[in-house]
Amino acid sequence: LSLAPIGDLEEIDLFYKLIDSIEKNNPLKRFRGEVYYEKDRLKSLYSLMKKEAWTPAYLNERIDAYIAELPTKEGFFYKRKYKEFNAGDLKKDKLEEEKERMEKLRAAVNEFDRFQQLMRKRNRYDFDDMINWVIRAFEGNKNLLARYQEQFQYILVDEYQDTSGTQNRLVELLISYWDKPNVFVVGDDDQSIYRFQGANVENMLEFANSYQKDLFTVVLTENYRSTQPILDISMSLIDRNDERLVKQLPGLSKELISSKDDIKHLTHPPVIQEYETQRLEMTGIAKKVQQLVAQGVAPGRIGIIYNENKYGEELSHFFQLLHIPVYSKRHLNILELPLAQKL
């Protein structure tokens, strides 16, 4: 049997085939407009299921439990009298809308096995499949596991906050032979707040609790990227997150100190500027840059940070209108260009 990693275009083709074969009464089925609208969401969901080793049966249980709890969740019932509704009455429209959303998720989950069958028919696999295969091999063959436990006696895990459930299970299996394993993990819990990003701060907490007796903890508090005012204001925000390890593990502190000689003396506080619309925000930014350039500030010393490339592309049009040259440092994906998508 000759297996090969699946390519991006081939994977898209498989999702098209999956959607084409879905029954007419399935919530995922569309007959007009963008027929393959659910493709990207299915891809993201299936990747997450593999990363966390979630089976369709497990997710169906979680969906059932979530739907059962909806009437008690905030936002789905009236807290005070409103028109003809009394306090405690259910918001039926909102409840039905959420149930409909969950049934759509259930329909997607229930197509997972069929997609995996399509992959097997073509003798294809992806990165997430490889990790799951190794885990199954280790769990089913103790001699194989023992061989690798003996081979890799010192384990280093970097970016530990980004480990998925399956990656973490792989580490657990490799170090499970020893009561006090030679394992060194490096991570920043403040970079991993949301479980559904495929990253899990719980992994760090469970690790700390499992080896509490022998754990040697080093907290890095010297920061070489930011000025102290930026660190202080960032702390005032991130400290509201109760999932932080400093709030769950005794003896931990994480007060960051600006330590780069070139910038640690700077005391400029960040300024929050609010705008009514995104268009006004872009106009305001472009005008501010224009003022700075007119005052003699070198254009190369002015930087604008944004979290999505499309925002930067739109913002560049505002600079063009003011005849201000722009340099954008980003990778271009030609498959996302409108012309390429039409082709």
Side-chain angles (χ1 to χ4, degrees), residues 191-252:
Q191 292 184 40
S192 175
I193 301 169
Y194 302 107
R195 165 105 190 167
F196 285 96
Q197 298 291 335
N200 186 3
V201 73
E202 288 174 22
N203 290 341
M204 300 180 77
L205 187 61
E206 287 172 13
F207 179 87
N209 289 331
S210 297
Y211 300 102
Q212 198 169 19
K213 183 164 55 75
D214 302 306
L215 192 67
F216 179 66
T217 307
V218 179
V219 182
L220 303 180
T221 55
E222 294 179 337
N223 180 286
Y224 294 91
R225 290 182 174 175
S226 304
T227 60
Q228 196 60 47
I230 289 176
L231 294 174
D232 293 342
I233 287 177
S234 299
M235 174 63 75
S236 71
L237 289 174
I238 197 68
D239 204 40
R240 295 169 184 263
N241 175 23
D242 292 329
E243 288 187 21
R244 300 182 78 217
L245 293 185
V246 292
K247 295 193 176 184
Q248 302 189 62
L249 297 175
L252 282 188

Side-chain angles (χ1 to χ4, degrees), residues 221-236 255-271 301:
T221 55
E222 294 179 337
N223 180 286
Y224 294 91
R225 290 182 174 175
S226 304
T227 60
Q228 196 60 47
I230 289 176
L231 294 174
D232 293 342
I233 287 177
S234 299
M235 174 63 75
S236 71
E255 301 288 334
L256 299 185
I257 313 282
S258 181
S259 305
K260 189 175 182 180
D261 291 336
D262 296 352
I263 61 171
K264 67 182 183 182
H265 62 282
L266 297 175
T267 57
H268 307 73
V271 176
R301 301 291 294 168

Side-chain angles (χ1 to χ4, degrees), residues 57-258:
Y58 167 77
L59 285 179
N60 271 297
E61 285 177 13
R62 300 309 306 149
I63 290 169
D64 288 338
Y66 176 75
I67 290 174
E69 290 173 3
L70 281 181
T72 64
K73 285 185 176 290
E74 192 170 337
F76 291 96
F77 61 87
Y78 292 94
K79 287 186 173 181
R80 58 179 68 88
K81 185 173 176 57
Y82 174 73
K83 294 182 178 178
E84 73 271 23
F85 301 104
N86 295 315
D89 285 351
L90 291 177
K91 296 181 178 178
K92 291 183 180 178
D93 289 348
K94 194 168 183 182
L95 196 64
E96 287 307 313
E97 186 182 323
E98 186 66 4
K99 283 182 180 177
E100 193 176 310
R101 202 169 68 86
M102 285 297 105
E103 290 306 327
K104 199 169 189 177
L105 173 61
R106 190 197 302 277
V109 164
N110 290 339
E111 294 296 326
F112 174 76
D113 289 336
R114 281 211 312 125
F115 181 76
Q116 287 299 93
Q117 287 168 11
L118 289 172
M119 292 266 284
R120 278 195 290 272
K121 279 182 183 176
R122 289 202 189 180
N123 294 332
R124 295 291 181 265
Y125 64 88
D126 59 26
F127 180 74
D128 298 319
D129 288 324
M130 287 194 292
I131 295 178
N132 282 292
W133 290 343
V134 173
I135 290 171
R136 282 200 292 271
F138 279 172
E139 290 176 340
N141 188 332
K142 299 302 177 188
N143 290 333
L144 178 71
L145 176 60
R147 174 191 154 192
Y148 283 98
Q149 285 174 332
E150 189 172 349
Q151 183 176 345
F152 301 111
Q153 295 185 7
Y154 295 85
I155 307 288
L156 165 63
V157 186
D158 197 11
E159 302 289 358
Y160 194 47
Q161 79 280 351
D162 289 336
T163 52
S164 64
T166 49
Q167 289 170 334
N168 197 54
R169 177 62 182 151
L170 203 53
V171 175
E172 285 176 353
L173 287 165
L174 286 171
I175 67 177
S176 63
Y177 180 79
W178 297 273
D179 292 330
K180 188 178 176 181
N182 297 312
V183 59
F184 176 24
V185 301
V186 185
D188 181 3
D189 56 314
D190 288 337
Q191 292 184 40
S192 175
I193 301 169
Y194 302 107
R195 165 105 190 167
F196 285 96
Q197 298 291 335
N200 186 3
V201 73
E202 288 174 22
N203 290 341
M204 300 180 77
L205 187 61
E206 287 172 13
F207 179 87
N209 289 331
S210 297
Y211 300 102
Q212 198 169 19
K213 183 164 55 75
D214 302 306
L215 192 67
F216 179 66
T217 307
V218 179
V219 182
L220 303 180
T221 55
E222 294 179 337
N223 180 286
Y224 294 91
R225 290 182 174 175
S226 304
T227 60
Q228 196 60 47
I230 289 176
L231 294 174
D232 293 342
I233 287 177
S234 299
M235 174 63 75
S236 71
L237 289 174
I238 197 68
D239 204 40
R240 295 169 184 263
N241 175 23
D242 292 329
E243 288 187 21
R244 300 182 78 217
L245 293 185
V246 292
K247 295 193 176 184
Q248 302 189 62
L249 297 175
L252 282 188
S253 175
K254 202 175 177 184
E255 301 288 334
L256 299 185
I257 313 282
S258 181

